[in-house]
Amino acid sequence: MKKIIVPIAFFILSATAGKAQTIIPAQYQELVKKLVASLPKEDKLSSNNSSAKQSESLIDFAKSMLGIPYRYATSNPKIGFDCSGFVSYVFSNFGFKVPRSSREFSYAGKETSLENAKVGDVLIFTGSNSRIRRIGHVGIVYSIDENGIKFIHASSGKVHQVTITDLDGHYKARFLKIVSIL
């Protein structure tokens, strides 16, 4: 977006700044009008607002897959998801290039803290044994409120499907880090 606006603004300013260039040729006036008209309208709180809208859309999309069964090494909603397959499927639907493996999510996005977590961030956990501090599970922050953080993920546990879970004692013990993709 900024890559388009800057050249247009430079063209307009340079065309109107010089004394010898007091009139822009009609063909360029029309071109500039069309380019400016095709630019999306931005809200006053554009970055925060669009980020909030994007995370809301991302969560709505993820929520539409609740109940899809867990299936190891799969990222197809018709068959099932493993944890990283689910997370990568959700983000790739919004044009983000994210890893397919839970271990690689450690290098994706920007690391943040639980205190600064936002809806849409990716939580990274150990595998089912919290004493082995190696990445083995990922999920997406679903909600944050006075009761804590909930996340949506493809669980291989009892529910064995895409579900929403509290970041409680069990998962808190397995927590390794959180990264922001949006």
Side-chain angles (χ1 to χ4, degrees), residues 1-2 4-5 8 32-51 53:
M1 170 66 96
K2 290 180 181 176
I4 295 172
I5 294 173
I8 291 172
V32 170
K33 282 181 189 175
K34 286 179 184 175
L35 287 171
V36 170
S38 70
L39 293 174
K41 306 293 182 236
E42 292 192 42
D43 297 322
K44 289 179 182 169
L45 303 173
S46 63
S47 63
N48 289 340
N49 198 16
S50 73
S51 179
K53 285 180 183 175

Side-chain angles (χ1 to χ4, degrees), residues 22-164:
T22 56
I23 299 173
I24 301 174
Q27 67 203 44
Y28 294 121
Q29 288 177 0
E30 284 303 311
L31 176 64
V32 170
K33 282 181 189 175
K34 286 179 184 175
L35 287 171
V36 170
S38 70
L39 293 174
K41 306 293 182 236
E42 292 192 42
D43 297 322
K44 289 179 182 169
L45 303 173
S46 63
S47 63
N48 289 340
N49 198 16
S50 73
S51 179
K53 285 180 183 175
Q54 194 169 36
S55 64
E56 185 179 329
S57 297
L58 183 117
I59 292 303
D60 286 344
F61 180 71
K63 198 165 71 172
S64 74
M65 289 176 265
L66 285 169
I68 292 178
Y70 178 88
R71 183 139 186 193
Y72 179 74
T74 309
S75 61
N76 182 339
K78 292 178 182 167
I79 299 169
F81 292 110
D82 66 4
C83 65
S84 58
F86 171 70
V87 174
S88 66
Y89 182 81
V90 169
F91 277 93
S92 65
N93 184 70
F94 290 85
F96 291 95
K97 290 196 179 282
V98 293
R100 174 57 187 90
S101 126
S102 57
R103 288 189 182 119
E104 292 171 0
F105 269 98
S106 183
Y107 308 107
K110 181 181 176 191
E111 188 170 350
T112 187
S113 64
L114 283 175
E115 294 78 28
N116 295 319
K118 298 183 310 284
V119 172
D121 287 349
V122 176
L123 294 163
I124 301 172
F125 302 95
T126 67
S128 55
N129 184 345
S130 63
R131 286 175 276 158
I132 300 173
R133 305 303 288 171
R134 188 174 53 230
I135 296 171
H137 189 64
V138 291
I140 303 170
V141 174
Y142 175 79
S143 67
I144 304 169
D145 60 23
E146 63 278 350
N147 297 322
I149 295 175
K150 290 182 188 284
F151 64 101
I152 188 167
H153 61 125
S155 172
S156 63
K158 276 188 244 179
V159 294
H160 214 70
Q161 65 185 4
V162 174
T163 188
I164 298 169

